[in-house]
Amino acid sequence: MDNNQKQELFRAIAISTATSPILTPLINQQSRAESYNKLEEFKKYNGRVAIILELLQTETLVLPVNGQHVDITASTKLYALGVLQTFLKTNYSKLDNEGDRLAIRNAVMMSARQLLSKCCSSGIQDVASENESRFLGVKIAALIADIATRDFPQRWTTFISDLFSPPDKGGLWYVPSDASISKGYGPLIGVKICLECLKIITEDCTDGDFNSKISTSRRNDVLIGLNEVNGQFLPLIFELISFQYSLVNNAKGTITEMCNYLVSTSRTVYQMTPQEKPMFEEQVLKRDNAGKIVADCLSTLEKFCQSMPIEWMLSNLHNCDFISALLHLLREDTADIHVLSVACLQQIVLRKIDYTQWLRLVSSLPGAINEANDASTKQESIKATSEGKTLDNLEVLVDKYPFHRALSKMLAYTISAHIAHITNDKDITKERGQNFQVVTNFLILLADMLSHPSPRICGEQSNTWAILLRDPQLSKTQTRLLQPCFERLIVAYSTHLVRIRWEDVEEQNHPYAALFEESFSDRDEYDLFLGDLRSKANLIFRMIGGIDPELGTSVLYQKFEYLFATYANGGVRDHLDPTTGELTQQSTAVMELEGFNLPLDNLIHGLPKWALDDTKKIPSYMDPSRVKVRNEVKSMLGNIATKIIAWNPKDTWLKFRRVTLMEALKYYWEYDATRLISAIDAFLLYLGDETPTSVGIQNLSPDVISLRKKAGVSLIAVTKKVPHLLVSWLGQLSERVKSLLSMSSILPANRMHLYEFLSCVATAVDDPTVRSKFIADVLSDALTQIESTQIKEAIGSVDGLLTFLGVTAAGSNPASVTDEAVVGQVTSNFVRLFSAFNQLLSVGKRCHEAAKSRPNAGIPLSESQLLATQNQDIFPDEGTVSISDLSMNDPFVHLWPRIVPSLMQVLNTIFSIWHPSNQAKYLKDPVQRFIYAISDDEAYLAKNQGSISNGGVFGEDGTAGSVVSGWDRRACNLAPKWSGWFNELRGTCLQLLGLVAAQRALFSPEISPIYPSLVSVVANTDHLNAMEHRHMSQYIKQFMDYILLSCPSTLYQSHVAPIAAPFFQHMEHRLKCTWAPVLKMNGIPPESTKPLMTGDCETVALLAQRGGDEWIVSYYARGGAFVGDLDAVISEALVEKLRVEVSRCYADMLQAALALKGDWALVLANAARDEQATKKGDSSVLASGPKSKVYDGKLVNADGSERSKFYYAIEARKQQRIDKLCHFLLLENETIAGYLVLSVVECLNYPDAYTCRRCLKICHRILETVSWVDRYTHLLGFQMFTYAVRGVIYEQRWMVGIEWDMINVIRDIYCRLVLGQSLQCGGQGAAMQSPMDATGTQFEQTKVVDKPLQGGGILCKPSDLPRQALVSLPGISPEMVMQLEAKLKEKRSAKDQKDTLRDILRIAADNLKENENGDDLGMLGRADVSESLLNQKESAKKDVIQDLPERLVTQSMIMKKSETSFYTPDSAEMGANLFE
């Protein structure tokens, strides 16, 4: 490149950076584009490196412009360094000549020395020049770090000395003897480069975000090298901190003297003379510059504290006591030095430090923090006085907030990361000695910080206190280590749990508005934080209640007394409703009482039983100290309960708070029911609460509606906890409920609450006959409704139901749908129909829950009979059981013979409405067509991906009125109501169908006469075909799940097969048609997935009229969805949601049926844990579960839930069903098995990772169960194997993350069908080779062939189908397949076999890529190389800094080896003597 070309390059750089006003005439759009192209071309120039090295070593670079010279040194070198950095990443490793590498290092170091020389000699520069120098210095540091990570220590042995030597020895470490008064780094730019370089190297070699680009050996070599020579830079850094901090102190001392002088002359800093001001500013500049250097040192030290040997900081190496320095710097706020010091200490305490080091920190931190606080107070006072202001404590809190938050977090980590140090010290746990006092003082300091006005400070400690309280050694009552902190904890958390009005913050009306604005960016962040804080605080209150009941109750009692006296009677009335003059949700009284509810609820919940139960006379309960505590606790809670019951607020929102407080006492009512009935009476009273000026449900205010709903929910919550205590009042309660139900203004939701309330109480009645009779009496109205002539006529036919709901009338008179009288009448019709079924469902579910919670878990045997069957293989209850026997546990069951006929009718009618013949009729009508539409709620969920936030359907971003344009379900219009009505009615009926199966009444002899009729409805092919995807998802979740899991194993053929056979056949076809347009299969265009909109109804109606496969294919392609007037974007999102939802529901159902998830999977987990406990001889395993829960020694399930009394007998039955259902589905019914397996295999090809991952697990269960059956060989060995292989070698984007799971299925198939190897359950573990039989032509069968859960069997006669599938792949030869099998037999571990399969599949994938045209196929397209599992090894090596061939030998290594033997390094070992 000649001089002219260089000038063109300089010109391009100058124009691109616009570094001088002189260049303005040269800059325009064209010149910028030309300059950009020129600079990009230079990056590709072969001789660019030599030119770059020349430019970097040139001290000054100028560009002549119109007779003037523009200095472009900094911008040119920044560009050159960028190009060189790219070269380092791509081509540096290819340099074989040490001279070339040395030339690059020398050029970069020369550039750094030139920059240092310039900054030292140029005096005070302007801000622009200082910034330019800083940018260049940081870029140089990054280049030096990049070179060091590649060459240090083997090749660049003098790296540290080259940086940390003084300039006269060729280094960059220059520290002037006085404070710098430059506007930037000035002569300290060399120090900045050194510190930045070490920081970058430490990050690159230790931080997970960076080190993936550096090989492990290379990282280790660099870190070993740094550790070897740390004596060359750690003392310099420590000395620099000490010196610069002394300059900061001197400057601050001088500033303080100046301020005191000004104050003594009655002046402020704003009244300095022209002679005084420069002197003052000079000291400020000295302070800030020195502080900036200290901050840079701490930023580097933070990386050392995080990742480098902890001895660097803790062992006083080279007489450098960094810990003392960091503790001292906590008092210095210049350049946020105190925050950075805390960050360094935090990284240290997060490391594994020994007890002595930890105790030093714990004992030193309180004193250091007190000194820092005193220094800060003094400094703030001087500052305020010098500025002529009064000290503003809030302003101080805002300024110190980052420090306080970081300090709280660091102190919390100091404890939580080293709990073992506390529990292992017997002096601490036994409350004796100095160490106990040290830790106690530290914990008190930690607790004192909770009183900070910002809840963020409190939030940083939540996890630590939870850990401390959960530790059994520390939380014991006799250990008083934590008790001194309890009162502070309760007061602080109960204070911060009170929600603030964010409007007060925004309008600066809150006393700490400025602090909250500093703590939270907006309301959303505050709300998110408060939700998290409340969640964690709940656990803290609960555990304090369990540890010290008296103290916890006492503190909350005092707070209650204050709140009740202040707010209960409306003493503080603010933020009133302008219409009614009542308190609102934003009123202080309401918010304060709302904040108190959670502490009260959780503390009472956490109280131990002995603190409340005075009925037991066992010794542990009658201990005098416990009796005293119990009396105190019950007295205080009794007073709280008395005052709440006697409280009669007038404001609706105070009534709401009264309800929540009474609900919080539900754990207290269990042990003292004297005021319980009064609380129940209050709940019932509020269910009928009305505003003084309105009567009737339509006139209720939103606040009253909220109160009624909350009263109903609280009534149920309390009743579920103590139903047995209400049995004696059952008659009176029943009359009271009937009175409420007769009210015209009672809410539908409250009607359901009342029915559930009575059913809860009824389930606690001991006499089964009385219990059943009462439930029948409660539901008599509902039963009468569904058996009435009008309802029977309505649900008996399609025309009847559509007439009942006003659809038929809309066809002849469209205006009727908006007629107020018609809308009112039709709405009343629907409410009567729906409420009847919904009441039955609500009460039935509650009765079923109560039956399952009984000791026998609802099994229709007495406890003695259940015990007698514990060790049997044949259970008398695993068959048809009469309803009278089932009613002994469940009082609802005897009603099913009356309910099922109506249930069948309504389901048959609803399903029939969706038949194509009816769709052809009603889709043509502009009003009637909306019976098929989705609801606004479904549109909203599709728009927000299942979220119900952001204001809901009727919020600002809601979808109300988008389906039926301009009308929503609240309007006086039937059209938008129909969709929701049909959804509710269908969902309720399907849930009832699932409930009759779950309660086993469906399999009783009383129902058997009508069972064929039921099958003709639920398994009707026409009904199944006509269901939309959303209906099928409901059908699967609410019915199929229950019938598969609830049917007794002896009735599978008679009761499951008639339903399952058509269902699985249908689902295979439905899923195939659903995904075909996405996969572009069978000629179905992707456009067919477009949902049905209003404008297309006529066309689709004609297609429905023709029916057949043509209609079905298009119907499933769009999920059956009719979206009305919804916009296209949300409509497409809806179809996608429906498509994946039906696939996922199907996969989840199969997983549950095959014990891969849900209740049955828990049974298997329990069995595995029992086996483990037996082998270890450790029964304590059975009393523990997930670490996220606290256990009290009782037997628990593997998920941590409590194990039932007769768990052995219950789980034995479930275990039998697990085995038999798997066998039935896959081996006893050809139709079921064929379509089930085929559908699962095809799901491997559908682009939904959730479905595919779960189907892969199902594939393993299938292989374990049937791989030994010859009839399955083609389906498994060819179809399943081919789908799995294709999924891997096509490397589609949607499959990223599940490739290993797919390869494991390939392995499972190949091992079982070809190699005679069996695997453990789920394809886990090493393959177990079966020997050949005497003929040598086939393998011996495994001993567990009939036990899939123990590994299952193999195909004895090897199949060639998987081999043929592999050989058919591009690039795969028969020889390669034989080599594959040899490797699979040689190395049978799971990892080795999967790696071997991956290698051969990569060859096929690479061959496929060569024939692809590179079209963008979206999620079906090939994943990037960086994402591809097959290319994982290759992509991992790309752009990674590789190992050096030279072996690293340091002086420490030599000394260590010489201790045991004589050692002489050979010539190939580099650096042996370079670290002495």
Side-chain angles (χ1 to χ4, degrees):
M1 179 178 279
D2 56 27
N3 286 333
N4 290 333
Q5 291 173 318
K6 287 182 181 179
Q7 290 301 314
E8 290 179 8
L9 179 64
F10 293 164
R11 178 187 176 91
I13 294 171
I15 291 174
S16 296
T17 55
T19 55
S20 171
I22 301 173
L23 297 168
T24 303
L26 302 177
I27 300 175
N28 53 51
Q29 186 173 356
Q30 181 180 354
S31 65
R32 282 186 177 276
E34 292 174 351
S35 298
Y36 174 78
N37 292 333
K38 185 70 178 176
L39 296 177
E40 290 300 310
E41 289 175 7
F42 179 76
K43 292 177 181 179
K44 302 174 185 177
Y45 176 57
N46 289 334
R48 64 189 182 281
V49 175
I51 298 170
I52 287 169
L53 299 185
E54 179 186 342
L55 295 177
L56 290 176
Q57 296 179 84
T58 303
E59 190 165 354
T60 304
L61 297 166
V62 295
L63 175 69
V65 178
N66 298 329
Q68 294 179 289
H69 290 83
V70 179
D71 188 344
I72 59 169
T73 305
S75 54
T76 301
K77 290 191 175 184
L78 281 170
Y79 170 75
L81 289 167
V83 176
L84 183 58
Q85 193 168 37
T86 303
F87 173 82
L88 289 177
K89 293 179 180 178
T90 55
N91 295 317
Y92 188 78
S93 61
K94 301 175 184 177
L95 296 178
D96 296 326
N97 190 343
E98 178 61 26
D100 293 337
R101 292 192 287 267
L102 185 61
I104 293 174
R105 290 202 296 267
N106 289 340
V108 177
M109 291 299 297
M110 177 61 74
S111 180
R113 286 191 286 268
Q114 288 172 357
L115 177 62
L116 174 59
S117 176
K118 175 185 175 183
C119 291
C120 289
S121 61
S122 58
I124 299 178
Q125 297 178 305
D126 57 60
V127 175
S129 298
E130 286 285 1
N131 287 338
E132 203 173 55
S133 299
R134 178 169 58 86
F135 292 148
L136 183 56
V138 172
K139 189 67 174 178
I140 290 172
L143 259 293
I144 295 174
D146 276 352
I147 296 171
T149 53
R150 287 166 170 80
D151 288 351
F152 175 76
Q154 290 98 318
R155 290 175 176 171
W156 192 0
T157 56
T158 59
F159 162 61
I160 292 297
S161 59
D162 286 349
L163 262 66
F164 287 88
S165 298
D168 57 355
K169 295 184 179 179
L172 303 175
W173 192 264
Y174 173 68
V175 182
S177 58
D178 195 7
S180 170
I181 56 173
S182 64
K183 295 181 174 61
Y185 282 93
L188 288 165
I189 191 66
V191 169
K192 172 66 175 175
I193 292 173
C194 294
L195 294 173
E196 189 71 18
C197 184
L198 279 181
K199 179 181 175 182
I200 293 171
I201 291 173
T202 306
E203 281 182 338
D204 286 355
C205 292
T206 59
D207 195 314
D209 292 334
F210 301 94
N211 63 26
S212 60
K213 292 300 180 183
I214 306 176
S215 69
T216 303
S217 297
R218 183 87 284 271
R219 291 199 308 268
N220 290 340
D221 285 352
V222 173
L223 296 176
I224 290 171
L226 288 176
N227 191 43
E228 192 73 18
V229 296
N230 66 72
Q232 296 183 30
F233 58 84
L234 283 180
L236 293 177
I237 295 175
F238 186 80
E239 182 182 346
L240 178 65
I241 293 174
S242 301
F243 177 62
Q244 295 297 322
Y245 178 65
S246 68
L247 296 180
V248 172
N249 260 348
N250 292 338
K252 289 181 70 174
T254 304
I255 292 171
T256 300
E257 291 175 2
M258 290 180 175
C259 290
N260 289 335
Y261 172 73
L262 290 172
V263 172
S264 67
T265 58
S266 302
R267 290 185 294 158
T268 67
V269 292
Y270 306 111
Q271 298 171 325
M272 290 184 288
T273 65
Q275 293 79 22
E276 293 170 336
K277 190 172 183 179
M279 298 169 61
F280 186 85
E281 290 177 347
E282 179 180 343
Q283 294 302 317
V284 171
L285 197 58
K286 286 183 177 180
R287 179 198 66 188
D288 292 346
N289 283 344
K292 183 167 55 178
I293 294 299
V294 176
D296 284 337
C297 291
L298 293 176
S299 295
T300 302
L301 285 180
E302 183 187 358
K303 298 301 175 184
F304 291 170
C305 294
Q306 179 181 1
S307 307
M308 302 306 283
I310 195 66
E311 291 77 16
W312 286 16
M313 298 294 111
L314 297 178
S315 298
N316 293 341
L317 292 174
H318 320 293
N319 296 319
C320 301
D321 189 355
F322 282 104
I323 295 297
S324 296
L326 292 172
L327 292 172
H328 189 80
L329 290 175
L330 292 176
R331 68 187 67 187
E332 185 53 61
D333 61 353
T334 303
D336 287 334
I337 288 174
H338 54 342
V339 177
L340 291 168
S341 299
V342 170
C344 291
L345 290 169
Q346 178 175 311
Q347 295 302 332
I348 290 172
V349 299
L350 285 172
R351 303 283 295 275
K352 187 177 181 180
I353 58 179
D354 64 34
Y355 178 74
T356 304
Q357 297 164 338
W358 174 78
L359 194 63
R360 178 193 174 190
L361 285 170
V362 171
S363 58
S364 303
L365 275 167
I369 292 169
N370 287 333
E371 291 174 6
N373 188 49
D374 293 341
S376 173
T377 302
K378 182 179 179 181
Q379 197 67 33
E380 293 295 338
S381 177
I382 294 172
K383 179 183 176 183
T385 305
S386 66
E387 293 177 351
K389 301 177 182 177
T390 304
L391 183 62
D392 187 343
N393 291 325
L394 176 59
E395 185 179 343
V396 173
L397 281 174
V398 173
D399 291 340
K400 298 296 183 184
Y401 166 74
F403 173 63
H404 290 156
R405 183 178 178 184
L407 185 63
S408 179
K409 190 174 185 178
M410 182 270 290
L411 294 175
Y413 280 143
T414 303
I415 295 297
S416 61
H418 302 283
I419 292 290
H421 287 334
I422 300 176
T423 56
N424 291 338
D425 190 328
K426 300 304 179 184
D427 287 343
I428 296 177
T429 56
K430 293 185 178 180
E431 309 170 48
R432 65 191 183 197
Q434 183 178 357
N435 292 351
F436 169 75
Q437 194 59 48
V438 166
V439 175
T440 300
N441 292 339
F442 188 92
L443 291 174
I444 291 174
L445 169 65
L446 198 61
D448 283 340
M449 288 200 70
L450 298 174
S451 61
H452 192 284
S454 172
R456 284 281 193 189
I457 309 302
C458 192
E460 298 294 352
Q461 298 186 22
S462 298
N463 291 334
T464 295
W465 288 112
I467 292 171
L468 287 168
L469 293 167
R470 289 168 66 92
D471 190 282
Q473 287 184 265
L474 302 179
S475 61
K476 289 186 297 186
T477 306
Q478 59 266 34
T479 303
R480 308 299 300 178
L481 182 67
L482 302 180
Q483 269 77 349
C485 306
F486 284 172
E487 183 173 356
R488 295 174 174 86
L489 281 168
I490 295 173
V491 171
Y493 277 100
S494 59
T495 300
H496 291 306
L497 291 186
V498 178
R499 185 183 298 275
I500 64 166
R501 289 182 291 268
W502 195 254
E503 294 79 6
D504 290 351
V505 175
E506 292 174 335
E507 297 167 8
Q508 300 298 305
N509 293 328
H510 193 280
Y512 293 104
L515 182 61
F516 274 88
E517 286 182 330
E518 182 71 16
S519 303
F520 306 98
S521 59
D522 54 26
R523 181 201 300 268
D524 290 341
E525 185 179 353
Y526 171 72
D527 289 342
L528 187 66
F529 167 81
L530 184 62
D532 182 64
L533 181 67
R534 286 183 170 184
S535 175
K536 294 175 179 176
N538 290 344
L539 183 63
I540 290 174
F541 284 118
R542 200 173 299 176
M543 289 189 290
I544 290 177
I547 297 170
D548 197 332
E550 184 177 12
L551 175 63
T553 307
S554 174
V555 175
L556 279 189
Y557 177 69
Q558 294 174 34
K559 186 173 181 68
F560 171 79
E561 289 286 299
Y562 166 76
L563 291 175
F564 197 81
T566 307
Y567 301 113
N569 297 314
V572 178
R573 301 189 67 81
D574 55 8
H575 294 83
L576 302 178
D577 187 313
T579 304
T580 63
E582 288 194 355
L583 298 176
T584 64
Q585 277 185 286
Q586 300 299 311
S587 299
T588 301
V590 176
M591 297 179 77
E592 288 286 344
L593 290 170
E594 188 258 351
F596 178 73
N597 184 69
L598 282 177
L600 180 64
D601 188 339
N602 285 281
L603 186 126
I604 299 176
H605 188 190
L607 293 175
K609 291 183 178 181
W610 62 261
L612 292 171
D613 190 356
D614 53 8
T615 61
K616 293 184 178 180
K617 304 303 179 182
I618 58 178
S620 61
Y621 277 53
M622 299 308 295
D623 179 87
S625 61
R626 286 191 169 186
V627 171
K628 178 179 177 297
V629 170
R630 181 164 58 245
N631 292 336
E632 291 292 329
V633 169
K634 294 195 70 173
S635 173
M636 288 183 283
L637 291 179
N639 288 338
I640 292 175
T642 300
K643 289 189 175 182
I644 293 174
I645 294 298
W647 185 26
N648 186 26
K650 304 301 181 184
D651 296 277
T652 301
W653 277 104
L654 287 184
K655 294 177 182 177
F656 190 99
R657 289 295 140 224
R658 182 188 179 214
V659 167
T660 58
L661 290 172
M662 288 190 294
E663 181 185 348
L665 291 167
K666 59 182 176 288
Y667 301 103
Y668 167 72
W669 303 127
E670 186 177 3
Y671 300 99
D672 185 356
T674 53
R675 304 169 189 84
L676 173 60
I677 194 62
S678 299
I680 298 298
D681 184 66
F683 290 138
L684 295 173
L685 177 67
Y686 288 151
L687 285 176
D689 187 85
E690 297 180 355
T691 56
T693 59
S694 66
V695 178
I697 192 170
Q698 299 296 331
N699 299 316
L700 294 177
S701 69
D703 290 349
V704 171
I705 292 175
S706 297
L707 170 63
R708 286 186 171 197
K709 289 182 177 179
K710 181 59 183 175
V713 171
S714 297
L715 174 67
I716 300 305
V718 173
T719 307
K720 283 184 176 180
K721 186 65 182 172
V722 290
H724 56 287
L725 298 178
L726 297 173
V727 170
S728 57
W729 285 290
L730 188 56
Q732 298 94 313
L733 292 174
S734 180
E735 291 301 319
R736 183 68 185 278
V737 167
K738 287 180 180 179
S739 174
L740 286 170
L741 290 173
S742 66
M743 293 174 55
S744 60
S745 64
I746 197 74
L747 296 175
N750 287 147
R751 288 183 181 274
M752 303 312 305
H753 292 145
L754 290 170
Y755 282 115
E756 188 171 358
F757 163 65
L758 289 180
S759 65
C760 285
V761 179
T763 55
V765 175
D766 291 330
D767 189 335
T769 305
V770 175
R771 203 162 56 212
S772 298
K773 185 176 182 303
F774 182 81
I775 291 296
D777 185 54
V778 168
L779 295 173
S780 58
D781 289 343
L783 291 168
T784 301
Q785 281 291 340
I786 66 173
E787 292 172 342
S788 66
T789 304
Q790 186 182 12
I791 295 296
K792 281 186 175 182
E793 290 176 355
I795 64 178
S797 65
V798 170
D799 289 339
L801 184 57
L802 294 184
T803 300
F804 189 71
L805 297 180
V807 178
T808 303
S812 57
N813 180 19
S816 65
V817 298
T818 55
D819 183 277
E820 188 171 347
V822 174
V823 172
Q825 180 59 49
V826 172
T827 301
S828 175
N829 289 345
F830 173 75
V831 169
R832 282 194 297 127
L833 173 62
F834 172 72
S835 296
F837 283 108
N838 202 28
Q839 288 164 18
L840 293 170
L841 176 64
S842 178
V843 175
K845 288 172 69 174
R846 176 58 200 153
C847 292
H848 182 52
E849 290 172 7
K852 289 199 301 183
S853 64
R854 298 183 193 281
N856 63 0
I859 296 175
L861 295 176
S862 65
E863 293 188 8
S864 58
Q865 291 174 318
L866 202 59
L867 284 172
T869 64
Q870 279 198 142
N871 299 314
Q872 295 180 3
D873 293 329
I874 300 175
F875 306 109
D877 52 293
E878 276 296 288
T880 57
V881 179
S882 68
I883 283 180
S884 60
D885 289 337
L886 294 172
S887 296
M888 299 298 292
N889 287 308
D890 194 327
F892 184 85
V893 172
H894 73 286
L895 300 177
W896 281 117
R898 297 178 62 183
I899 299 171
V900 171
S902 298
L903 184 60
M904 288 192 300
Q905 279 188 318
V906 72
L907 279 173
N908 186 59
T909 301
I910 293 177
F911 291 158
S912 298
I913 291 173
W914 262 258
H915 284 193
S917 58
N918 287 319
Q919 290 201 35
K921 176 181 177 181
Y922 295 111
L923 281 176
K924 295 177 182 178
D925 188 279
V927 178
Q928 291 176 326
R929 64 178 53 143
F930 286 102
I931 62 175
Y932 299 112
I934 64 168
S935 66
D936 289 336
D937 302 80
E938 290 170 307
Y940 183 80
L941 291 175
K943 178 183 178 182
N944 293 278
Q945 299 298 313
S947 171
I948 56 173
S949 57
N950 303 322
V953 177
F954 295 95
E956 184 178 349
D957 297 323
T959 54
S962 59
V963 177
V964 182
S965 183
W967 297 90
D968 60 61
R969 67 171 185 263
R970 291 180 176 177
C972 183
N973 189 334
L974 290 176
K977 298 179 186 290
W978 286 330
S979 57
W981 287 354
F982 278 112
N983 283 345
E984 290 175 342
L985 189 57
R986 182 190 302 105
T988 298
C989 292
L990 284 173
Q991 287 183 70
L992 280 168
L993 206 56
L995 184 62
V996 68
Q999 292 179 328
R1000 294 188 54 178
L1002 188 62
F1003 316 111
S1004 66
E1006 290 86 346
I1007 298 294
S1008 59
I1010 60 173
Y1011 191 77
S1013 301
L1014 179 68
V1015 171
S1016 69
V1017 174
V1018 298
N1020 185 301
T1021 305
D1022 292 335
H1023 290 345
L1024 294 175
N1025 289 340
M1027 288 185 192
E1028 297 179 26
H1029 283 354
R1030 57 196 175 115
H1031 305 157
M1032 181 53 69
S1033 297
Q1034 282 184 315
Y1035 180 86
I1036 292 171
K1037 289 188 290 186
Q1038 296 167 0
F1039 174 60
M1040 287 304 301
D1041 268 351
Y1042 288 98
I1043 195 166
L1044 289 176
L1045 300 182
S1046 303
C1047 181
S1049 56
T1050 59
L1051 303 179
Y1052 287 153
Q1053 286 292 354
S1054 59
H1055 285 70
V1056 173
I1059 296 174
F1063 169 76
F1064 284 112
Q1065 183 175 358
H1066 167 78
M1067 284 305 301
E1068 189 275 332
H1069 186 59
R1070 175 183 287 265
L1071 293 176
K1072 186 185 294 183
C1073 294
T1074 298
W1075 289 99
V1078 179
L1079 300 172
K1080 301 177 182 178
M1081 293 169 53
N1082 303 329
I1084 304 175
E1087 297 78 22
S1088 61
T1089 60
K1090 179 182 176 183
L1092 174 61
M1093 307 187 80
T1094 302
D1096 303 321
C1097 284
E1098 294 283 349
T1099 305
V1100 173
L1102 294 174
L1103 184 62
Q1105 191 170 1
R1106 293 196 297 270
D1109 288 342
E1110 182 184 6
W1111 173 76
I1112 286 179
V1113 168
S1114 64
Y1115 187 61
Y1116 292 161
R1118 60 179 169 88
F1122 170 43
V1123 297
D1125 304 317
L1126 192 64
D1127 71 73
V1129 175
I1130 302 177
S1131 301
E1132 291 177 6
L1134 173 76
V1135 173
E1136 173 64 21
K1137 178 176 179 290
L1138 296 175
R1139 182 188 303 120
V1140 300
E1141 191 173 71
V1142 72
S1143 306
R1144 294 174 180 183
C1145 287
Y1146 181 65
D1148 286 339
M1149 178 205 71
L1150 288 177
Q1151 276 202 300
L1154 297 175
L1156 294 168
K1157 67 172 290 186
D1159 189 36
W1160 284 6
L1162 180 61
V1163 171
L1164 298 184
N1166 286 340
R1169 195 181 52 154
D1170 293 346
E1171 183 180 355
Q1172 180 186 17
T1174 303
K1175 287 181 179 179
K1176 291 183 175 181
D1178 182 11
S1179 60
S1180 64
V1181 175
L1182 303 178
S1184 61
K1187 295 181 179 179
S1188 58
K1189 297 183 179 181
V1190 180
Y1191 304 100
D1192 55 5
K1194 295 181 179 178
L1195 293 181
V1196 296
N1197 293 308
D1199 64 350
S1201 59
E1202 187 174 346
R1203 224 163 182 182
S1204 59
K1205 180 179 179 181
F1206 301 105
Y1207 72 88
Y1208 189 85
I1210 295 166
E1211 292 183 3
R1213 287 161 169 78
K1214 291 180 179 179
Q1215 180 74 58
Q1216 186 183 81
R1217 287 192 190 177
I1218 290 171
D1219 296 334
K1220 291 195 173 183
L1221 182 59
C1222 182
H1223 191 274
F1224 167 73
L1225 291 176
L1226 297 174
L1227 289 168
E1228 295 182 24
N1229 187 298
E1230 190 171 344
T1231 302
I1232 294 175
Y1235 284 106
L1236 186 158
V1237 176
L1238 183 59
S1239 63
V1240 170
V1241 169
E1242 289 169 344
C1243 281
L1244 301 182
N1245 192 39
Y1246 300 151
D1248 179 49
Y1250 180 101
T1251 302
C1252 185
R1253 189 185 297 275
R1254 280 145 187 80
C1255 284
L1256 289 170
K1257 294 180 180 179
I1258 297 169
C1259 285
H1260 285 297
R1261 184 55 50 84
I1262 292 170
L1263 288 164
E1264 293 152 7
T1265 307
V1266 302
S1267 60
W1268 55 275
V1269 181
D1270 293 335
R1271 286 178 297 167
Y1272 273 99
T1273 302
H1274 186 273
L1275 189 54
L1276 304 180
F1278 183 74
Q1279 288 181 265
M1280 183 186 288
F1281 188 80
T1282 301
Y1283 272 99
V1285 168
R1286 185 168 61 182
V1288 174
I1289 64 174
Y1290 283 178
E1291 301 179 280
Q1292 293 174 324
R1293 290 191 183 98
W1294 68 268
M1295 194 171 284
V1296 171
I1298 60 176
E1299 301 99 320
W1300 278 125
D1301 296 329
M1302 191 72 83
I1303 290 176
N1304 201 32
V1305 166
I1306 296 172
R1307 170 187 176 236
D1308 203 347
I1309 297 171
Y1310 211 87
C1311 287
R1312 292 181 188 274
L1313 270 63
V1314 179
L1315 303 179
Q1317 296 175 353
S1318 60
L1319 308 178
Q1320 295 178 26
C1321 182
Q1324 302 177 43
M1328 294 166 281
Q1329 183 69 56
S1330 292
M1332 299 293 287
D1333 65 5
T1335 65
T1337 59
Q1338 59 183 28
F1339 297 103
E1340 292 183 4
Q1341 187 56 266
T1342 64
K1343 295 179 180 180
V1344 291
V1345 62
D1346 58 341
K1347 298 177 181 178
L1349 299 178
Q1350 296 182 26
I1354 61 171
L1355 185 64
C1356 293
K1357 186 176 181 180
S1359 171
D1360 287 332
L1361 291 175
R1363 292 170 176 157
Q1364 294 169 8
L1366 286 181
V1367 172
S1368 67
L1369 299 176
I1372 306 298
S1373 65
E1375 291 75 17
M1376 296 170 67
V1377 173
M1378 298 306 294
Q1379 292 172 6
L1380 166 72
E1381 294 184 7
K1383 292 179 181 178
L1384 293 176
K1385 291 179 180 178
E1386 179 184 357
K1387 296 183 177 180
R1388 299 202 300 272
S1389 72
K1391 181 181 183 304
D1392 288 334
Q1393 288 190 331
K1394 286 191 287 186
D1395 282 341
T1396 303
L1397 286 166
R1398 178 181 65 173
D1399 292 340
I1400 194 171
L1401 294 175
R1402 180 171 60 248
I1403 297 172
D1406 291 342
N1407 279 271
L1408 276 176
K1409 289 179 191 177
E1410 296 176 0
N1411 301 319
E1412 292 176 352
N1413 54 19
D1415 293 340
D1416 185 8
L1417 301 176
M1419 65 179 177
L1420 299 178
R1422 192 174 289 276
D1424 296 331
V1425 174
S1426 59
E1427 300 174 320
S1428 168
L1429 173 72
L1430 298 182
N1431 294 282
Q1432 197 174 62
K1433 292 181 180 179
E1434 286 68 22
S1435 60
K1437 295 178 181 178
K1438 187 177 180 181
D1439 296 335
V1440 173
I1441 300 173
Q1442 298 297 327
D1443 305 343
L1444 295 180
E1446 296 89 349
R1447 178 184 172 190
L1448 175 63
V1449 180
T1450 66
Q1451 185 66 24
S1452 297
M1453 294 178 184
I1454 296 173
M1455 293 176 63
K1456 186 175 181 180
K1457 196 161 187 177
S1458 65
E1459 293 175 1
T1460 56
S1461 63
F1462 179 76
Y1463 173 72
T1464 303
D1466 59 40
S1467 58
E1469 296 174 342
M1470 302 299 296
N1473 301 308
L1474 295 174
F1475 301 111
E1476 296 179 358

